[in-house]
Every structure is written in structure tokens, then in C-alpha cells.
Amino acid sequence: MALALCLRTAASRRLAVSSATPSFVTPCASHQTCPSRRHSTTDAETSPPPPTTDDDDDDEERYLPPWSTAQPRNTSSKAFARFRQHVNPLSRRFQMPADLPQQWPHSDFDNVNLPLFLDIGCAKGGFLLELVGRRHGGREKEAKDDDYMNLSKDLFEDTTSDWLPSEMNYLGLEIRPGVSQYAQARVEKRGLNGNLSFVGCNANVDLGRLLTLYQESADAANEGDNRPAFVSIQFPDPHFKKAHNKRRVVTPALVATLAQFMKEGDVVFLQSDILDALEAMRERFVEEDGERYFDEWADPNGAKDDQVYGMSNPLGVPTEREVSVLKQGLPIYRTLFKRNGVTFDS
């Protein structure tokens, strides 16, 4: 009787299992693949994608350069003045040409026939704002800049007239998008529109295009006069790691572009508070195209305190970084090159 009871119990269990299984589920053959419960194929996935049209701009933002005027920032936001300290200039997005106003440079400068002061890696623009403000006036300075402005006058004698023509335009280039927009907003606050402009771009991508547009905008009578007469590259990102040295801003191509557009006697001024960074920039100007088209200038007053690369600031207008370093009693390394008379060979 016990054996019959066990057999009856087992049979009832099999019956319960079979009745719990839905009758519409068919078992998969051994050679078939059962659909996964994690993913069910839909008609949308199996059907071909719809044809693209010129109006299809789903991925438009992927192809906008990081400085695109189609991505305006809220200048009233507190976050507007906070920026990334470093970017990779070799990344795909920073290899894209910058967006410029359709009428550039007429859109930014009142007189495009003037020679150009070019500051590559201008950061928030404090140096150019102070330089242009001293030379061409403007509205009252921003309160937060007072310490920098006062210290710059205490530490340096203004010698801009020894190096710069009385009338110039001033252009700052900055690779970090938010920084270049912030600098341009300061131009408007200081009332320096028409003389000073900042462009967000990668100088190693856009410099030739910018200088070509600027030169071609001149009147026929002034052709060639509106060239970069003074170029400054001050305290660039040093990119300390050996693997990152290729990211440095001064490249052989940049030196060749400057040589192409500058005239004999025009100046390139380099400075940094990091000796290796200064020597890396200088090396580009004493080899290949740099050696052919530029001559290193020897300061007749000699090096300050016999410091290597210890020449004085030729303009007497420091950058904000420069003031900060000098307040700490740390050295700054400088050198200067002049364009010689060798005709550029393209």
C-alpha cells in the first residue's frame, strides 16, 4: 500500500507541472535558438533605417566645434567664470576649424588696415585688456582687476611705445571655449570693441586661416601692412609628461605660419615660469624654419641677476600669471625673436 501511495504522489506531481505549463508554448527544436527573455527583436530593429535627408540633423551637435557660436553660454551665471584648466588640443573636437562671424574681421575691428598684436593662449584676456586699456582708453576697469592692474604698474615701467606702433588691432586666441567667451564678454564691459577681440580656436588649426582673412580684408593701398607685427606666447600649458609634449602650442607648423605672414623686424615674444617650457618654445625658433626666418634678440641691458633667459619684459605690461609668480619671488624666463629679411619660401 505504501508503494502504491508513492506512485500516486509522483504521478500527481507530474500532472501538476504539465498543467502549469501554458499550452501555447512550443518547445524549441535542438537546432533552433530560443528567443532570450532579456531581449525581444522588434520590427524597428529588423527593418532597414529610414533614408537620411538634408533636413535630418539628429547628430548636428556632434559636428559642432567646441567654440561654436551655436552654443552660447549664459554670461550672467556664476559658473561662467569657472573653467577647465587643460584640454587635449589633439582630440578630434579641437581639431575642427572655429566658427567665425560671416564678416570677420570687419565684424570685430573698426579698421582692418592696421597691424595686429596677436596673443596666442590669451586665457581670460587680462593682459590684452590692460594693454589696450592703457593705450586706447575704455570704460572703468572691473573692481576685481584692481589688484592686478595696480601691481602691474608698480612692478613694471610701461615701454609699449618702444615696441608697438601707435595704432594697432589686438587679437587673443584661446583654445578653451568657455575662457574665450568670458574674455570676449569682458571686452564689451570695458568698452574696447573695435580694437580688441578674442577668438576661441586651436591656433595650430586656425592661425593660417585667421591671418589670411585679416590680410585679405585690407584696402589695396594698405596690403601687407595689416600683418601680425607683434606676437606673444606667454605661460602656455607646459604639458609636463613626455607623452604629452606633442600637445604643446609652439610647433614647427605654427612657426612657419608666423614666418609666412610677418615682415622683417616683427617680433615674437616668449615667456614662461617653467624653464623646460620656455626652452621647448625657443627650440622651435632656433631650428628648421625658425632658424631660417627668425633671429634671437639679445637684450642690450643684459640678463637680470645673470639669470638664464633673464631679459626684462619688453612691454612693461605683465600678465596676471606673471604678477602672481613675481609676488612669490620666483623667476620668469623670457626670450624674444625678430623676423629677419629672408623671403618666405612656401
Side-chain angles (χ1 to χ4, degrees):
M1 182 175 181
L3 178 61
L5 179 61
C6 289
L7 292 174
R8 189 180 301 116
T9 303
S12 63
R13 285 177 179 173
R14 286 195 298 272
L15 180 61
V17 171
S18 61
S19 63
T21 304
S23 60
F24 55 82
V25 176
T26 57
C28 296
S30 59
H31 63 278
Q32 292 178 329
T33 301
C34 296
S36 169
R37 293 188 180 182
R38 294 185 180 180
H39 177 75
S40 297
T41 304
T42 65
D43 292 340
E45 292 171 321
T46 57
S47 60
T52 58
T53 66
D54 293 339
D55 297 329
D56 194 358
D57 58 354
D58 290 342
D59 292 332
E60 181 182 359
E61 290 189 3
R62 288 181 55 194
Y63 305 102
L64 288 175
W67 316 277
S68 175
T69 53
Q71 300 174 347
R73 288 166 57 93
N74 180 7
T75 58
S76 62
S77 170
K78 291 183 179 179
F80 184 62
R82 296 198 296 267
F83 314 108
R84 291 186 62 182
Q85 293 301 310
H86 309 279
V87 299
N88 178 5
L90 301 181
S91 65
R92 182 178 299 179
R93 63 195 300 259
F94 287 105
Q95 289 293 308
M96 300 177 71
D99 281 346
L100 296 172
Q102 188 174 4
Q103 299 299 320
W104 197 91
H106 295 278
S107 60
D108 289 32
F109 300 107
D110 293 338
N111 183 359
V112 295
N113 297 308
L114 298 176
L116 192 65
F117 188 111
L118 179 64
D119 190 30
I120 299 176
C122 61
K124 293 186 289 185
F127 164 72
L128 282 181
L129 287 162
E130 173 66 4
L131 176 63
V132 180
R134 289 190 192 185
R135 306 193 79 213
H136 304 288
R139 298 194 191 108
E140 187 175 344
K141 302 176 179 66
E142 301 168 50
K144 62 183 178 182
D145 290 336
D146 284 348
D147 290 343
Y148 157 61
M149 305 301 181
N150 293 333
L151 280 169
S152 69
K153 293 177 180 178
D154 293 340
L155 292 171
F156 293 89
E157 177 186 357
D158 188 337
T159 54
T160 54
S161 59
D162 296 340
W163 292 90
L164 305 179
S166 58
E167 293 293 329
M168 297 187 79
N169 286 326
Y170 304 81
L171 177 63
L173 308 183
E174 173 57 42
I175 192 170
R176 293 170 293 168
V179 181
S180 59
Q181 291 179 348
Y182 176 79
Q184 186 61 34
R186 299 175 76 187
V187 173
E188 297 168 4
K189 290 180 180 178
R190 296 279 293 275
L192 298 173
N193 304 72
N195 275 117
L196 170 61
S197 181
F198 294 97
V199 171
C201 70
N202 184 338
N204 279 292
V205 173
D206 277 311
L207 181 59
R209 178 169 72 111
L210 289 167
L211 295 180
T212 297
L213 288 171
Y214 189 77
Q215 277 202 344
E216 291 179 350
S217 67
D219 299 336
N222 296 283
E223 187 175 355
D225 290 339
N226 65 340
R227 81 286 178 193
F230 197 106
V231 178
S232 59
I233 307 175
Q234 308 180 76
F235 305 95
D237 191 332
H239 293 293
F240 289 109
K241 294 181 180 180
K242 187 175 182 180
H244 292 175
N245 286 355
K246 59 187 177 182
R247 298 180 181 182
R248 289 173 169 169
V249 64
V250 181
T251 63
L254 185 133
V255 172
T257 300
L258 293 176
Q260 176 184 353
F261 288 93
M262 299 177 81
K263 281 187 171 183
E264 183 176 2
D266 292 341
V267 173
V268 177
F269 172 53
L270 312 173
Q271 69 169 335
S272 175
D273 56 331
I274 299 168
L275 180 59
D276 179 65
L278 187 282
E279 289 184 328
M281 291 192 288
R282 177 182 177 273
E283 187 175 315
R284 299 303 188 188
F285 283 90
V286 296
E287 64 180 18
E288 299 178 3
D289 284 342
E291 181 181 21
R292 183 177 183 186
Y293 298 115
F294 292 93
D295 298 326
E296 193 164 17
W297 181 76
D299 188 347
N301 298 320
K304 181 176 60 178
D305 301 326
D306 296 325
Q307 172 193 309
V308 60
Y309 306 118
M311 67 172 287
S312 301
N313 185 317
L315 298 176
V317 180
T319 70
E320 292 159 303
R321 172 75 177 179
E322 193 171 353
V323 170
S324 175
V325 171
L326 292 174
K327 284 175 64 178
Q328 299 174 62
L330 300 174
I332 293 177
Y333 308 99
R334 306 181 181 97
T335 191
L336 185 147
F337 289 85
K338 287 191 173 184
R339 179 70 164 88
N340 58 32
V342 175
T343 302
F344 182 77
D345 182 9
S346 57

